[in-house]
Each structure stands twice: as structure tokens, then as C-alpha cells.
Amino acid sequence: MKAKIENMVILGSGIAGCTAAIYAARANLHPIVYSGEQDGGQLTVTSEVENFPGFEHGIMGPQLIENSKKQAQRFGAKFLIDIATSLTTRPDGTFEIMLGSGEKVHTHTVIIATGASARWLGLASEKKYKGRGVTTCATCDGAFFKGKEVIVVGGGDSAMEEALFLTKFCTKVTIVHRRDSLRASKIMQDRATHNDKLAFIWNSEVTEILGDGKVVKGVTLKDTSNGKTREFNCNGVFLAIGHVPNTNFLQGLIEVDEKGYLKATKDMHTNIAGIFAAGDVQDVRFRQAITAAGSGCMAAMEAEKYLANKGIE
Ligand code: NAP
């Protein structure tokens, strides 16, 4: 018996993947969504989303994802917990995806919406204290630092958001930034600079995480203007220094830009016909929930057109 070939497999269940699933399911394509490593994507570790249209008073990130999944399921999308470990082309123009579970799936179209993961500093001491004071997620771990002093590394919107969130628990939050001006949007900068519990250390890089072997006790800071180093005491280190796209499993199949993000056309086609990209994995610039959702919609509509042109309903 010939193995079943799915119409559409969506890799990643963040807002891009969920939106693609809503559109594909409504088009009766019965898409299958594989969750990826972080089921629900980055919004599941965000607090309030204030800028997604339609939610006048904001919506919690995990709730937005939960709603979107249910919306896609209502039209027939299937969500499965698994990760893609490889994606290859087959001689008949379809695709084979190997999954972490050991299963494989064949499909006519693929939407890659695998997102991006938090960037780490790359220090050995950071690895040693990961989960013991060093983390990339304030929403997940903030409550463990009640009454403690922490630093947040980074100068973008994420760093401001994480730092502001941490002021709810911590006695003091210090933002350590490698330059003397922030990358964050004006509104986030204003909120951060007007918060009494927040302090800033400018022109400084974390070059070492210090601890007692069990938990973090401080960091070594290097002044980027004169190279001098000093120790700074803190109980926690929150990294908010951007993200790297999740493309390892593709092993060079899809063209990427100089930063490793998938190259997609303005209507979300990759260099391989039948494979589309959506969300943060192909967006080095905007990386917003709404742009990810929009690209998921476009990818699904283009995939639907591709299938129709092939006579697959
Ligand atoms: P980002 O804008 O790329 O900022 C990363 C920050 O980390 C930059 O300040 C960068 O410094 C610093 N950095 C990078 N590598 C570093 C290293 N190795 N050591 C020390 N510092 C390092 O990333 P993001 O803050 O995660 O934001 C990503 C996107 O999501 C943005 O478009 C942002 O607007 C959006 N976002 C929006 C909200 C919101 O609106 N509430 C919340 C979160 C994220 P330099 O500035 O020197 O490059």
C-alpha cells in the first residue's frame, strides 16, 4: 500500500504556525502542525501582548496561542507534539520529514514556522549556572527571584520587558547594556527609565558568571570603553540579547541570509517550490506577533494555491 501523503505539514506551533493552520484548515486542507521544541512558541513565555489588534486591553501571550490553536482545531487542523529532525525532497516532488519520535511523514507542502530561540552569551560559566541563576525567561523564572537582586543583559525591547516584569519580584533589577543607548522602542525605554526599582549599567559586557558552585553570586563586568573589569553582586542573570533562527534541522536545504534567517520571497516562498516559511525563522527585522501571524496567513494561502495548481484538493 502506498504511504499517505499529507497536503500540508506546518513545523512550529507559534503564532505563525497557528495562523497558517487556521487558514489551511479553513481551506479544508487538514494541516498537521508539529509543535517544535517549545510548544506554542515564544508567546508562551511572554506576559501581556499589548499590541495585537483586537485586544483593547491586551491579552496574555499563552492565552493568545491557546485561542489560536483552538480556532485552527475547530476547522480540522491537527496539532501533534514532536520536532522535525530533517526535511528532504523526494523524487516525486513531495517532501519527507523525519521526526524526533522516529516517525516520518510525507507531504506535498511544508510551512516552516520554527521560530527563533534565545541567544546565549557563549560563556562556559553561563552553561554551568544555567537554571541555577542564569536564564533567558523572566516570565518562567522570575518568581524564583523574589526578594533578590538580579541583572538583565541587553538593551532591546525584550530586555526592558523582562526587567520591568522582574521588578514585581526582585528588590533591585539592573540592566547591563554593552552600549550607552538603548535599542528598545521609546515607550519601553520610558517605562524602564521611570521605574524606581530599575538601574542601568552602560557600556558593559558580562564576561563571566560567578557563583559558589551551586548558585549565581555575581558577574564580572567589562567596561567596553576602557576594557577595565569589575565584579558585580547579584543572585540572578536574565539574558535578553536577541534570538537565533531555528534552522539546524534543514542542513542547508533552504537558502539563508547572512544572519542565518531563511530567505523567503515577499509571499513567503523559499527557494524550493512547495516549501514556504513564516514567522521569526525568516524575519530578522520585525519579529512581532502580528507580522508572524500575517506571514503565516500568506504562507498558507500560497501553499493552497500551489496545491490547487498541482490539482491536489
Ligand atoms: P533585539 O532588539 O535584537 O535586542 C537585542 C539586544 O541585546 C540589543 O540591545 C543588543 O545590543 C544586545 N546584545 C546582542 N548580543 C549581545 C551580546 N552578545 N552581549 C551583550 N548584548 C548583546 O532583540 P529583542 O529585544 O529580543 O527584540 C526582538 C524584537 O522583538 C524587536 O523587534 C522588538 O521590538 C520586539 N519585541 C517587542 C516587545 C514589545 O513591544 N513589548 C517586547 C519584546 C520584543 P546592541 O543594541 O548593542 O546591538
Side-chain angles (χ1 to χ4, degrees), residues 42 46 48-51 119-122 153-162 176-185 187-188 191 204-206 239-243 261 280 283-289:
Q42 289 177 54
T46 312
E48 198 163 356
V49 181
E50 289 181 331
N51 49 12
R119 175 179 283 128
W120 293 74
L121 292 168
V153 184
D157 279 329
S158 296
M160 301 309 114
E161 193 171 72
E162 302 263 290
V176 175
H177 184 36
R178 63 183 177 184
R179 295 187 291 125
D180 63 357
S181 63
L182 296 170
R183 180 180 292 277
S185 56
I187 183 170
M188 296 303 281
R191 281 185 199 171
S204 292
E205 279 173 0
V206 173
L239 301 174
I241 57 171
H243 292 81
Y261 286 78
D280 284 11
D283 176 15
V284 69
R285 185 168 168 211
F286 295 104
R287 291 173 290 170
Q288 301 296 300

Side-chain angles (χ1 to χ4, degrees), residues 4-85:
K4 187 179 176 200
I5 302 176
E6 303 295 341
N7 293 323
M8 186 188 294
V9 168
I10 299 169
L11 302 177
S13 54
I15 194 67
C18 284
T19 308
I22 293 169
Y23 275 77
R26 280 196 79 235
N28 224 8
L29 293 174
H30 307 285
I32 300 181
V33 185
Y34 289 105
S35 60
E37 273 184 27
Q38 189 172 11
D39 187 18
Q42 289 177 54
L43 284 176
T44 58
V45 291
T46 312
S47 48
E48 198 163 356
V49 181
E50 289 181 331
N51 49 12
F52 202 90
F55 300 96
E56 186 187 354
H57 302 292
I59 179 168
M60 297 306 281
Q63 190 64 57
L64 181 57
I65 289 296
E66 190 57 30
N67 293 356
S68 306
K69 267 190 193 174
K70 284 189 181 148
Q71 195 175 349
Q73 280 164 335
R74 184 158 76 88
F75 298 111
K78 203 159 138 193
F79 284 76
L80 298 170
I81 303 287
D82 217 330
I83 54 163
T85 54

Side-chain angles (χ1 to χ4, degrees), residues 119-136 145 150-153 176 205-222 230-241:
R119 175 179 283 128
W120 293 74
L121 292 168
L123 305 170
S125 52
E126 165 193 67
K127 269 197 192 131
K128 181 173 172 188
Y129 288 105
K130 183 177 173 183
R132 295 193 283 157
V134 184
T135 166
T136 57
F145 294 85
V150 301
I151 65 163
V152 175
V153 184
V176 175
E205 279 173 0
V206 173
T207 54
E208 205 67 69
I209 312 287
L210 308 171
D212 60 5
K214 289 190 193 126
V215 291
V216 168
K217 294 286 184 188
V219 289
T220 303
L221 296 179
K222 182 173 149 196
R230 67 174 166 123
E231 289 186 7
F232 184 84
N233 292 339
C234 62
N235 309 107
V237 178
F238 287 79
L239 301 174
I241 57 171

